[in-house]
Amino acid sequence: IGTRTDSINEEVLAYLAELSKEREIWVEYGVQSSSDKTLQRINRGHDSASIEKYIALTHQYGLKICAHVIFGLPVETPEMMLDSVKFALKLGVHSFKFHPLYVVKRTALANDFKKGDFTPILEEVYIQTLIEAIKLLPEDVMLQRVAAGIEDDTLLSPSWCYVKHEQMFKIRKALKEEGFIY
């Protein structure tokens, strides 16, 4: 179940916990960043305290938790991106989905991009940050996603996000060089 911490409540968690008696249920939270400044800048609708509260509550209901983290959000440095991973790990998430931020037409980010107020993450920076994030993961934490792309004319930037299989090829090569097989 993919959601945000400003869109969940105890009633829903109790219902999911009941369902989890018959099937495996995962709650994927769009953490995106642990930086309140970034979360406010992207108009996320929640802060890091909300993330902490609802991940703790989700644990109380015995549900598996996946943290979705985006690398390349406005004003974020690689160190801030890795801090978001460390933040989610401290909260005890069971898995991660990582992917780069990309700019699509008809969005507030597209307007910032066109005005020169936002520069997308470079592919090399994304891959290196991804590798450093993976190095932080304990063996019992799953990795569900390492890339994302959009293969249509709505993509404005970065162009390297257009063909996902090329992105995956480069990521696999970099991971192999670090001794990882993905």
Side-chain angles (χ1 to χ4, degrees):
I1 308 295
T3 191
R4 301 160 32 136
T5 58
D6 61 327
S7 299
I8 195 88
N9 58 44
E10 282 202 63
E11 182 181 355
V12 171
L13 290 172
Y15 175 70
L16 294 174
E18 189 63 33
L19 290 177
S20 73
K21 293 176 182 176
E22 297 176 19
R23 59 189 59 88
E24 187 171 4
I25 302 286
W26 283 76
V27 179
E28 176 186 334
Y29 285 112
V31 172
Q32 315 316 4
S33 175
S34 62
S35 165
D36 287 335
K37 181 179 176 182
T38 300
L39 294 171
Q40 184 175 13
R41 163 75 168 75
I42 64 173
N43 198 26
R44 189 67 189 155
H46 62 79
D47 60 11
S48 61
S50 174
I51 295 167
E52 288 182 72
K53 175 184 175 181
Y54 282 98
I55 287 180
L57 198 55
T58 305
H59 277 295
Q60 289 177 17
Y61 282 95
L63 298 164
K64 296 283 190 183
I65 303 163
C66 176
H68 185 260
V69 178
I70 296 178
F71 293 157
L73 290 165
V75 307
E76 288 215 336
T77 64
E79 292 78 20
M80 292 171 75
M81 297 172 218
L82 294 173
D83 285 345
S84 296
V85 176
K86 293 172 189 173
F87 170 77
L89 284 170
K90 284 182 185 173
L91 299 177
V93 301
H94 304 100
S95 70
F96 280 91
K97 289 183 178 179
F98 299 121
H99 77 74
L101 179 67
Y102 47 83
V103 183
V104 294
K105 293 177 182 176
R106 295 185 208 80
T107 62
L109 187 62
N111 295 335
D112 290 347
F113 173 71
K114 288 175 185 175
K115 290 187 290 186
D117 293 339
F118 172 72
T119 302
I121 192 168
L122 298 172
E123 185 175 31
E124 299 78 21
V125 174
Y126 174 76
I127 292 173
Q128 188 56 48
T129 305
L130 175 66
I131 288 169
E132 294 305 315
I134 292 169
K135 287 178 181 179
L136 294 172
L137 304 183
E139 288 197 19
D140 63 339
V141 173
M142 287 184 2
L143 186 55
Q144 293 188 19
R145 182 192 302 160
V146 297
I150 182 165
E151 295 186 23
D152 63 38
D153 67 351
T154 64
L155 179 69
L156 293 177
S157 189
S159 59
W160 59 269
C161 286
Y162 187 73
V163 182
K164 189 176 174 184
H165 73 272
E166 288 178 14
Q167 197 181 137
M168 289 301 302
F169 175 80
K170 291 176 183 176
I171 291 169
R172 281 189 184 106
K173 181 179 181 218
L175 287 170
K176 188 176 181 180
E177 289 170 3
E178 292 288 332
F180 294 105
I181 298 173
Y182 178 81

